[in-house]
Structure formats: structure tokens, C-alpha cells
Amino acid sequence: MDPLLTAADNALRTLFAPPRACEPTPALGIAEADLDPAQKKLAGALMRVNHVGEVCAQALYTAQAAVTRDAGLRVHLLEAAREETDHLAWTRGRLEALGARPSLLNPLWFAGAFALGLVAAKVSDRASLGFVAETENQVAAHLQGHLARLPEQDLASRAVVARMKDDEERHAAQARASGALQLPAPARAAMRAAAKVMTTTAHYI
């Protein structure tokens, strides 16, 4: 019962409460860039997509932690979720600074990611970790693409994305070190396709 209550609490806080970071944002002390309207719109859209990714990360880790019977793995997943809460707060801060809004479909994204996390965790802990590793690898690659697209002068957003990329790569490495299974190629391709739909939609909605 406790894991389920924790999951419900996390869902409500992720979707409806202002996120609170434990660590200061990497954008702290960096002056806001003088962006033209097109640059500001692009930066806001990219940070909205990144914010959606963090909403999904909360759902994924919370679902997996609720299902696993391994106490050590549960601690690992909840710690990763805590770090992702920092990312959630940092990206929300950038949205506000850029005059952009979060995705209107965040409840849908959360529900979908939570369901996927439950399915992966029900298979086995190693499959669950494999899903984490592949997700984090794809997110890191996605963030690298955003670093190439963000306006060069938007140093605040770039600092946040660069730090997030480092953290996601570390999460993937930790999952592999904990015994993550290598997901089959069709599963990895399906994950990329689903992520493409999500990121394309969240860019605008």
C-alpha cells in the first residue's frame, strides 16, 4: 500500500504542484539572453519538450519503484526520481523565464509513462532496469540535439540542458551496472517512435 500511496502523491505533485529542486538550477547567475521573438519561441518550445520528458521520468521511476520487491532497487529508483525532480523544476523555471507554458497534455504523458513503467517492472527487475537504461540513452541523445538547436546566446537554457544530459547518461550507466537487460531491437525502435510522437506533439501543445 505504501508504494501505491507514494506513487499517487508523486503524480499529484508532478502534475499540479510547483516543483521544488534540491539543487540550484545550473542557470543560476546566468543573465537572460536578449532573444528575438523567433528565438524565444524556439527555446520555449524545446524547453517544453524537455519538461515533458521530466514529467515522464517521474512517472516511469515512480511506477517501477512501486512494483519492485527489491528494496535496494526501490531506493535507487526513488533517488533517480529525486534527481529528475530537480530537472522538472529547472525546466519549469526556464519555461517561465522564456514566457512559455508547460504542455497541456502532461496528464496524458504521465499516465502513458506510468503504464509503461508498470509493464516493464512486472516483467522483471532486470527488464525494468533495461527500460531505464534505454530511455535514458535516448533522452541523452535527444538533449544533445537540443544543444545543437537552442540559440547560442541562450546560455541559461543551454546550461540546464547540458547538466541534464550528464545526469541522464549517469542514470543509464547506473542501470547497466545494476544488471539491466539489453532490450531487443524492435522494443528500442518502438520506444524511439513513441518518443518522436511525444516530442513532436509537445513542441506545440
Side-chain angles (χ1 to χ4, degrees), residues 3-197:
L4 293 178
L5 291 175
T6 298
D9 178 69
N10 182 273
L12 292 173
R13 286 187 289 105
T14 298
L15 294 172
F16 303 113
R20 295 184 179 182
C22 293
E23 292 192 24
T25 173
L28 185 65
I30 301 177
E32 288 296 327
D34 185 16
L35 304 175
D36 65 36
Q39 291 173 324
K40 201 168 188 177
K41 182 178 180 180
L42 173 61
L46 294 177
M47 294 312 296
R48 178 164 51 252
V49 171
N50 293 332
H51 182 262
V52 166
E54 299 310 320
V55 168
C56 291
Q58 288 296 315
L60 173 64
Y61 283 124
T62 301
Q64 292 171 310
V67 170
T68 183
R69 296 181 181 275
D70 185 325
L73 178 57
R74 181 178 295 111
V75 170
H76 167 77
L77 291 167
L78 292 177
E79 174 59 22
R82 186 205 62 76
E83 290 190 0
E84 300 291 357
T85 300
D86 288 347
H87 297 177
L88 190 71
W90 298 346
T91 52
R92 182 61 181 263
R94 290 310 304 150
L95 285 174
E96 293 172 356
L98 292 163
R101 55 162 177 76
S103 173
L104 299 176
L105 301 178
N106 274 342
L108 175 63
W109 306 134
F110 188 98
F114 192 88
L116 288 174
L118 286 179
V119 170
K122 284 290 188 181
V123 174
S124 70
D125 284 339
R126 291 189 66 201
S128 181
L129 286 168
F131 191 78
V132 169
E134 181 61 26
T135 298
E136 298 290 26
N137 283 337
Q138 292 189 18
V139 169
H142 164 82
L143 292 172
Q144 182 61 50
H146 277 198
L147 286 173
R149 296 181 63 193
L150 280 167
E152 290 187 7
Q153 64 270 45
D154 187 3
L155 299 180
S157 294
R158 297 178 69 84
V160 168
V161 172
R163 170 61 186 277
M164 288 168 56
K165 176 178 175 291
D166 289 344
D167 288 346
E168 310 303 4
E169 290 173 341
R170 177 166 49 81
H171 291 163
Q174 289 171 341
R176 290 193 296 271
S178 297
L181 286 176
Q182 173 74 28
L183 298 186
R188 298 197 303 272
M191 290 172 65
R192 284 192 294 271
K196 180 66 175 177
V197 171

